[in-house]
Amino acid sequence: MLSPEFRRALAYLVPYWRPLSGLLLLSGANTALALALPYLTKTLVDEALIGRDLRSLYWTVGLFALASVGGFALTAVTGLRYTAVSAAILFDMRLALYRHLQRLSPRFYARTPLGDILARVNNDVAEIQRVASESLLAWVGNALFLAGSVAAVLWLD
């Protein structure tokens, strides 16, 4: 079912399932805060402005401020934690790669130019690092936001 390459990459993630689960929860909380903003806007317009309710205006503006500060804090914490976890995973991958390189026979190094080996190692690790540090968290956050947006639209309709 799963490709061998995917299973091999998944093996590096399994030891970090707890911190990755925590990151998923933090990302979900951040998405929930972002999805609360349209509801707060609806409350601001319907109750505070159209209803001319000054108390509701202050309450809604305060909730906007709390949601903004909370979203900023969650984004910062999630980003820092994700960077730490992805760095640990990448360290494990690099360590396995260097151990593999040390087990190769001297014939391999005699046949293969050292520059090719170094270029391959640098390019492959850099690409994995780019995907792990930038794309994965953004993809998960966008998927959560899409699912939450659909749910919010259906609920508000």
Side-chain angles (χ1 to χ4, degrees), residues 46-152:
D46 291 347
E47 294 177 15
L49 298 179
I50 293 177
R52 297 180 187 260
D53 185 2
L54 193 59
R55 182 173 180 260
S56 179
L57 176 67
Y58 290 143
W59 183 251
T60 306
V61 169
L63 288 176
F64 263 115
L66 283 175
S68 297
V69 170
F72 175 77
L74 278 174
T75 300
V77 169
T78 303
L80 289 172
R81 289 298 309 145
Y82 183 75
T83 300
V85 171
S86 65
I89 293 169
L90 287 169
F91 180 80
D92 290 349
M93 287 180 170
R94 284 186 175 128
L95 188 61
L97 174 66
Y98 292 135
R99 285 181 178 156
H100 173 74
L101 288 173
Q102 288 176 337
R103 286 191 305 266
L104 293 175
S105 71
R107 286 185 191 168
F108 171 79
Y109 291 106
R111 286 191 321 256
T112 310
L114 186 59
D116 289 351
I117 296 170
L118 290 175
R120 180 75 189 261
V121 167
N122 284 336
N123 292 338
D124 289 355
V125 170
E127 188 62 25
I128 291 170
Q129 186 170 3
R130 185 189 64 75
V131 168
S133 63
E134 298 168 9
S135 304
L136 190 59
L137 184 62
W139 185 86
V140 169
N142 289 336
L144 286 173
F145 190 78
L146 176 64
S149 296
V150 169

